[in-house]
Amino acid sequence: MREYGFELALCADLEADDRVVSRQLGAHVHGRRIVDTVVLEPGPEFDRRAEITDRTIPGPAVETSVGVGRARDWREVFPDRRPDRARSLVERGVEIGFFERERRHGTLHVRQTARYPERWFDRLIGIENKPDLDRPGDLKRQLRQDVALGLFDEVILATESYVTGAHLNRVPEAVGVWRFDPDIGDREVVREPEPLDPAADGTEIIAERPGRTEIRLVDHEQKRRARRRLAERAYGKGWRPTELPGCANCDPSADSRAVTVPFCTFHDRIVEPAVECGAECPGYQSAEPPAFDRERERAADSAWRPDPDGHQRRQVGLDRFG
């Protein structure tokens, strides 16, 4: 199975009603690092966060001092940003129900609809998926970066390969290793991960060249903000594809998993629609994409909650802006 199908199968296996699973998220502060799979475990204030919105709350909106008390002139909410960017952030906050608006003397003012609960998530687990360890790519560097930065509470490598001692020696000791069979959903723990310390300062590897490694130090406050943004993105995004291929051979019901994934009966496996589907595929037969309710499935199988009550929901932009 290719990496995309392996990743979806693992996400489906990990999903449960006491956690949130997402995929392809940025896990960096200064550089760039995309982690394949993120597992979020709820904290004591999870219910309060879930009541605000089912979508990602932008980091700048959380970090601004607008608060839930006195409404503030929108131009003062993001004073360090260009007016067009500040306006976009305000509009987004209103759209998702995190901000509410009112007019005072002809000027738009905004406030938060609820206090942001900082303790809404507990642990974040980062998983790098590499089905074939004989084709490791940048695996070693990626895992070294995850451990050195320490945004996650645990880091795990998931593979379909038989794991040898030589493989383990090339993986940082703190990284756990799973062997996962995507066809039957069997997951074997080859090595337990060592706990990392997200509250401590970290080191971010920016670039590596022969004889030289460029790094930047990251303090605990920067990590705290980065973890919150990562958690927000995980909560809002999830792991399911947004749509399925328009092909008669796409039949999610033919797959053994009780979730909707782009399973192709021609190839007899999960396919990556953006890469493998279309007129160039020998099995392509144009058809309407299979219908599925992505949000309903996610709500039924995870801790994520759609359309919370009690706050503004999906307002139509700032139509009275200016």
Side-chain angles (χ1 to χ4, degrees):
M1 181 177 287
R2 301 188 183 189
E3 190 163 324
Y4 179 82
F6 181 90
E7 193 168 291
L8 293 194
L10 180 61
C11 287
D13 182 71
L14 291 171
E15 193 166 59
D17 58 10
D18 61 349
R19 65 181 71 131
V20 171
V21 179
S22 192
R23 56 180 295 271
Q24 295 296 306
L25 301 180
H28 48 258
V29 178
H30 301 294
R32 178 170 173 77
R33 167 75 171 110
I34 303 299
V35 172
D36 291 332
T37 302
V38 173
V39 177
L40 179 153
E41 297 181 354
E45 296 181 306
F46 182 84
D47 288 345
R48 289 179 53 200
R49 166 60 186 85
E51 289 171 358
I52 298 174
T53 178
D54 55 14
R55 291 185 281 177
T56 297
I57 303 175
V62 175
E63 292 155 14
T64 184
S65 58
V66 61
V68 296
R70 179 177 61 88
R72 296 178 56 188
D73 186 323
W74 75 272
R75 294 166 295 189
E76 301 174 357
V77 174
F78 301 103
D80 58 340
R81 297 182 180 269
R82 300 193 316 268
D84 59 335
R85 178 56 177 157
R87 173 174 174 162
S88 176
L89 286 167
V90 170
E91 288 178 335
R92 181 59 177 166
V94 171
E95 179 187 5
I96 65 176
F98 186 60
F99 289 156
E100 60 185 358
R101 62 190 177 186
E102 63 182 66
R103 281 198 173 272
R104 292 184 178 181
H105 310 295
T107 302
L108 186 75
H109 286 61
V110 296
R111 77 173 88 225
Q112 287 180 203
T113 60
R115 295 188 185 280
Y116 186 83
E118 290 287 347
R119 299 168 60 219
W120 72 271
F121 65 94
D122 185 9
R123 298 199 315 150
L124 295 175
I125 301 169
I127 303 170
E128 185 65 19
N129 301 316
K130 192 63 64 176
D132 185 358
L133 291 182
D134 292 331
R135 302 173 63 187
D138 292 334
L139 178 64
K140 184 176 181 180
R141 180 189 60 80
Q142 292 167 335
L143 294 175
R144 283 180 57 233
Q145 177 172 324
D146 294 339
V147 172
L149 181 55
L151 281 187
F152 294 103
D153 296 86
E154 293 178 356
V155 174
I156 294 167
L157 166 65
T159 183
E160 192 174 0
S161 297
Y162 177 76
V163 182
T164 67
H167 289 139
L168 291 176
N169 289 337
R170 292 195 291 267
V171 175
E173 290 185 6
V175 176
V177 179
W178 291 345
R179 190 180 184 201
F180 177 67
D181 185 330
D183 293 322
I184 63 174
D186 182 61
R187 181 158 36 101
E188 173 194 357
V189 177
V190 177
R191 184 171 76 187
E192 293 284 358
E194 294 180 9
L196 304 178
D197 186 2
D201 294 348
T203 302
E204 187 165 18
I205 301 173
I206 304 299
E208 288 186 299
R209 304 177 185 88
R212 180 184 176 187
T213 300
E214 181 183 348
I215 65 171
R216 291 189 65 173
L217 300 180
V218 178
D219 64 35
H220 64 280
E221 177 59 24
Q222 290 173 308
K223 284 176 61 173
R224 185 182 70 84
R225 293 197 300 268
R227 275 171 58 85
R228 181 176 60 207
R229 293 188 185 203
L230 178 60
E232 278 293 341
R233 187 66 176 136
Y235 190 79
K237 183 180 182 184
W239 63 268
R240 288 170 172 80
T242 55
E243 59 184 23
L244 298 175
C247 175
N249 282 311
C250 180
D251 183 6
S253 64
D255 186 59
S256 60
R257 281 163 282 268
V259 294
T260 302
V261 292
F263 188 87
C264 175
T265 55
F266 180 82
H267 292 291
D268 195 30
R269 59 175 171 82
I270 298 173
V271 294
E272 185 173 3
V275 176
E276 301 181 78
C277 298
E280 295 182 357
C281 173
Y284 176 71
Q285 299 180 42
S286 180
E288 286 296 317
F292 78 112
D293 192 327
R294 183 173 184 265
E295 293 190 350
R296 185 181 67 178
E297 279 196 10
R298 190 181 182 206
D301 295 339
S302 75
W304 178 79
R305 302 175 193 172
D307 295 319
D309 297 327
H311 299 285
Q312 298 182 58
R313 295 295 300 152
R314 297 182 179 154
Q315 300 188 32
V316 182
L318 297 181
D319 54 344
R320 293 180 295 168
F321 208 114

